[in-house]
Structure formats: C-alpha cells, structure tokens
Amino acid sequence: MKKVFLEGAISPEFIADSIAKHQGKHSIGAHNIFLGQVRADEVGDNKVVAIEYTTYEEMANEKLHEIREAAFEKFNLTCLHIYHSLGKVGVGEICIFVFVSSPRRKQVYEATEWLVNQVKEHVPIFGKEILDNADHQWKVNS
Amino acid sequence: MKKVFLEGAISPEFIADSIAKHQGKHSIGAHNIFLGQVRADEVGDNKVVAIEYTTYEEMANEKLHEIREAAFEKFNLTCLHIYHSLGKVGVGEICIFVFVSSPRRKQVYEATEWLVNQVKEHVPIFGKEILDNADHQWKVNS
Amino acid sequence: MITVNYFGNIAEATQSDSETLDQKSMSLEELLNLLDSKYDIRKFQFQVAVNRKIIPKQQVLTISDSDEVALLPPFAGG
Amino acid sequence: MITVNYFGNIAEATQSDSETLDQKSMSLEELLNLLDSKYDIRKFQFQVAVNRKIIPKQQVLTISDSDEVALLPPFAGG
C-alpha cells in the first residue's frame, strides 16, 4: 500500500524530491503534476486562513488503491503518485499532489485530471475551513 | 519579456523554487505542471544519451510572447511560466517545464496541454540527439 | 459490539470520532433511528459506509457484531 | 548586406550558424537558388523565416539590405 497521507502541508522540497526520484527511469518522457493550494476564500466578512483535513483512513486507502488500479488500466502510465495532507494546511500551502509519468505526453493531462476528480469525488476526506475570526465552516467539494 | 531559455537541464530545485514563489498568491487554488524528460530512446543498436538544444532565440522569444498572450485570452489563468533548456540535457533530465496557475482547477490541464503543444509546434527549437556511440541524429517532433 | 465512526461536522455534533454500541445485531434503520434520537443526525447531509463500502441509507441490512459503520459528510479532499 | 541564419542539420551542412551576403537586394527565389548551389540545401526539410516570420518558400518577395533570413529545420522543442 502506497503512503498517501502526510501530516501538514506538502512542501515544494517534497515535490522536488519526488521529481528527482524519477530521473533514473529512462523510459519516462513526460510528467504531469497537479497541486491544490489553499485559497483565502471570502466567507461573508471573513477569510479562510487554513483548512484542517481529516480522513477515514482505512476506507480512503482502499478507495485510493482501487483508483490507482483503474488508472493503470485506463491510461498508459509508467507510474503515478497521490499525496494528500492531513491536519492544518494554511492559505498558500499545498494540500494535494498528484504526479503522473508516462513514456509520452499524450495521456498525462487527462490522467491527472481524472485522478484529481476521483480523489475529490470518492475518497472520504473532510475539510474544516478555519476563518480569520476563529469561526469555521465545513468545506464541500463543488 | 519573461526569460524562457536556461542553460542545461532544469533541476528539481528550480521547479521547487518556482512553486514556492507562488505560495504568496492566495487567490490560486490549482497548479498544473508539465515536465518533459529526455528518454533513452533506441536508435538501431544505439541509445540516446543526451539531447543538445539550440534555438533561434529572437524569433523564439517573439513566438513565446504571442503564445503567452493567447493563453491568457483563452484560459482563466492567474499566471503561467514556460522554461526550456538550451545546450546539453542528459537522459532522465528535464528539458521543458510548463507551469500554469489558476483560482480553480477546471482549465489548468487543458491550458498546460495547449501550451506544450504550441511550444512544440511553433517555437524554433532544434534538438541534436547524441547516441552512445557518439553519433547523432536530428530530433523531429511527432 | 457495533462500532460507529463519525467524521467532519457529524463528529462535531456527536462530540466523538467513534463509539461502540453494546448491541449484537440491529437493522441499519434501527441504528440510524437510534443515532438520530441521540444526536439529531438527520439534519446533516451524510452517506453511510458499512465495512468501508458506501451503501444506500434505505438498504435493508442487518448490522452485526464486529461490523464497522461510518457516517460520512460530503467529501472535501483536494 | 543580407544576413542568413542556419540552424540544426542545415547549420551542420553550411558549417556555420550565420553568414552575410554582400548583396543589396535579391528575390527570395534567387537567394534560395544561391544557397542551394553553395550547400545543396534543397535536400533538407526546412521553413524560411524573414525577419523572424515564417513565409512560404514560393512567396514572391524581394529580400533587401538589413533583412534577416533564417532556414529552419523541423522544430524539436519539448
């Protein structure tokens, strides 16, 4: 089982490290990366300052495993990685990192889009949006 | 005029740095990144070990400027960056880095794909594939 | 013992992430009625997972000892 | 003086990235014939750019002093 959940924000250094790890695979010609960044959305007179993520981890890992298998069936990929934050991620910080690699570029964009949508729709992750007045509201994916 | 051409391979650290620079922009919710990596393609009995890139830089910069303007017209983007290597890039190293950011994810995949295709089709960049027997052949985009 | 896991705004309402009900067996309907009487859960939007699979709330199903039930508010990953 | 820039396999054939022709004015057709007689360039696949804009090779066009011509083999960026 690949590790998906990381405590706190996903750092640019972590992303660089993931990229570097793929430079030994000489059949890869194209990578596509999606990063979700926490926005300072306005909520009435207030602003989002962070999102606190929780998950139903056992079920999430089962779902993510199914999504991975389906992606390899559907697209011509050399490898794929999905990382998601748990706990607090501040505005401007990265909470999801989807990384797809393939010999050729054709399918990588669609594969990334499909994976991000699958995670949003089917993986039990919950987000508490913390506002600058210390109130909160529960995030719902649109 | 934004600087596109970099000498040699594009390092994971350069990519991490570009990502970090966008973490202060709190209206961004989604990034999409394309990376092209040099493959060890087989050419008869030999293998590609590196590609040496050259460009007609004045014309390339004019074209890239047009492509940028058209992308901002076409897609809802907060910012976009295109980097391409000149000189020698070894197998497993990164030669093109396209980075698109937007408030929401919907258009980022298509914008990235469009930009990569535009660069490949319209920007005068030339690639000499160096083989492991020191021969070479000229790369042609398919 | 039936384990029920709570998440998001439902965990907030139940003031707990998980509880175990001292029951050998009950129908899903009985379980949801019980939770509604304790926590007024029907005011929330949620899905039900039994043993980590989402099932329709109306499904006629007996929840037995060692089953793991979860109430899942709308997903918000990414 | 007309400047002609060469790239990729054409620069390899001409053994130079650029040359200046000591001409005040000539047609594009004359220029391409001259380069073909010197370097046999018609054996290559290439496009012609005049002042950094690609134009059809058959275009009836006078290349003048200070114009910048380039012979561009197939692009290979990315």
Side-chain angles (χ1 to χ4, degrees):
Chain A
M1 182 64 73
K2 308 265 298 183
K3 192 169 171 47
V4 168
F5 293 104
L6 304 173
E7 194 53 37
I10 298 166
S11 70
E13 293 69 33
F14 181 87
I15 297 160
D17 214 51
S18 295
I19 295 167
K21 280 182 185 148
H22 289 77
Q23 301 204 290
K25 297 198 180 177
H26 294 170
S27 65
I28 293 176
H31 303 289
N32 194 253
I33 290 172
F34 177 85
L35 303 172
Q37 184 165 300
V38 175
R39 270 194 322 268
D41 277 351
E42 286 178 26
V43 179
D45 289 340
N46 298 298
K47 272 192 173 179
V48 171
V49 294
I51 300 179
E52 213 174 288
Y53 287 105
T54 50
T55 185
Y56 181 12
E57 193 157 359
E58 299 82 354
M59 179 177 160
N61 281 330
E62 287 182 18
K63 262 290 160 207
L64 286 158
H65 181 73
E66 283 170 36
I67 293 169
R68 282 179 60 82
E69 299 287 305
F72 279 113
E73 282 285 315
K74 210 171 155 65
F75 305 103
N76 176 27
L77 303 179
T78 308
C79 48
L80 77 85
H81 302 273
I82 300 170
Y83 298 100
H84 200 290
S85 295
L86 291 182
K88 213 175 202 171
V89 181
V91 290
E93 293 187 315
I94 290 161
C95 58
I96 183 170
F97 167 29
V98 173
F99 185 7
V100 155
S101 307
S102 176
R104 294 179 170 277
R105 75 186 186 284
K106 198 167 175 302
Q107 294 196 313
V108 295
Y109 315 99
E110 191 192 341
T112 304
E113 181 171 17
W114 186 85
L115 283 165
V116 172
N117 289 346
Q118 289 289 310
V119 171
K120 289 192 172 248
E121 281 167 35
H122 299 298
V123 181
I125 297 169
F126 312 98
K128 185 175 169 178
E129 295 180 324
I130 317 283
L131 308 183
D132 53 5
N133 66 347
D135 265 6
H136 69 264
Q137 68 175 19
W138 291 89
K139 183 173 176 257
V140 175
N141 277 345
S142 51
Chain B
M1 183 67 71
K2 309 262 299 180
K3 191 167 172 49
V4 167
F5 292 104
L6 303 174
E7 193 56 35
I10 298 166
S11 71
E13 293 70 35
F14 181 87
I15 297 160
D17 213 53
S18 296
I19 294 167
K21 279 182 186 149
H22 289 77
Q23 299 203 290
K25 296 196 181 178
H26 294 171
S27 65
I28 294 174
H31 303 290
N32 195 253
I33 291 173
F34 178 85
L35 304 172
Q37 184 167 301
V38 175
R39 270 195 320 270
D41 277 351
E42 285 178 27
V43 179
D45 290 339
N46 298 298
K47 273 193 173 179
V48 171
V49 294
I51 300 180
E52 210 174 291
Y53 286 104
T54 51
T55 184
Y56 182 11
E57 193 157 357
E58 300 83 353
M59 179 177 160
N61 282 329
E62 287 181 17
K63 263 288 162 210
L64 286 158
H65 180 75
E66 284 170 34
I67 292 169
R68 282 180 59 82
E69 299 287 304
F72 280 113
E73 282 286 315
K74 209 170 156 64
F75 305 103
N76 176 28
L77 302 179
T78 308
C79 48
L80 78 86
H81 302 273
I82 300 169
Y83 298 100
H84 200 291
S85 296
L86 292 181
K88 214 176 203 171
V89 182
V91 290
E93 293 188 316
I94 290 162
C95 57
I96 183 171
F97 167 28
V98 173
F99 185 6
V100 155
S101 308
S102 175
R104 295 179 172 276
R105 74 186 187 284
K106 197 166 177 301
Q107 293 197 315
V108 296
Y109 316 98
E110 191 191 342
T112 305
E113 181 171 16
W114 186 85
L115 283 165
V116 172
N117 288 346
Q118 289 289 310
V119 170
K120 288 192 172 248
E121 281 167 34
H122 299 298
V123 180
I125 297 170
F126 312 99
K128 186 176 170 179
E129 295 179 325
I130 316 284
L131 308 182
D132 53 4
N133 66 346
D135 266 6
H136 69 264
Q137 68 175 18
W138 291 90
K139 183 172 174 256
V140 175
N141 278 346
S142 52
Chain C
M1 307 268 276
I2 294 167
T3 303
V4 188
N5 294 320
Y6 305 114
F7 297 94
N9 53 356
I10 297 178
E12 207 168 43
T14 61
Q15 295 182 283
S16 124
D17 291 342
S18 179
E19 70 178 307
T20 51
L21 302 176
D22 198 9
Q23 304 257 2
K24 277 236 165 311
S25 159
M26 65 198 302
S27 74
L28 176 58
E29 192 186 359
E30 286 169 333
L31 173 62
L32 292 178
N33 285 338
L34 171 66
L35 297 177
D36 197 43
S37 67
K38 286 177 82 173
Y39 307 117
D40 198 15
I41 56 163
R42 287 219 166 83
K43 75 178 179 204
F44 297 108
Q45 195 192 337
F46 67 90
Q47 298 183 92
V48 174
V50 176
N51 298 327
R52 300 177 295 283
K53 298 285 174 217
I54 288 171
I55 59 159
K57 276 187 235 181
Q58 291 75 21
Q59 190 166 319
V60 177
L61 181 74
T62 304
I63 310 292
S64 315
D65 205 27
S66 87
D67 275 345
E68 180 180 315
V69 177
L71 304 195
L72 307 173
F75 298 168
Chain D
M1 306 267 275
I2 294 166
T3 304
V4 188
N5 295 319
Y6 305 114
F7 297 93
N9 53 356
I10 297 178
E12 206 169 44
T14 62
Q15 297 183 282
S16 124
D17 293 340
S18 180
E19 71 178 308
T20 52
L21 301 176
D22 197 11
Q23 303 259 3
K24 276 239 165 312
S25 159
M26 64 198 302
S27 73
L28 176 59
E29 191 185 0
E30 286 169 331
L31 173 62
L32 292 177
N33 286 339
L34 171 65
L35 297 178
D36 197 44
S37 68
K38 285 176 81 173
Y39 308 117
D40 199 13
I41 56 163
R42 288 219 166 83
K43 75 178 178 204
F44 297 107
Q45 193 192 338
F46 66 91
Q47 297 183 91
V48 174
V50 176
N51 298 326
R52 299 177 295 283
K53 299 284 175 218
I54 288 171
I55 57 159
K57 277 186 234 183
Q58 292 74 23
Q59 191 167 319
V60 177
L61 180 75
T62 305
I63 310 293
S64 314
D65 205 25
S66 86
D67 276 344
E68 181 180 314
V69 177
L71 305 194
L72 307 173
F75 298 168

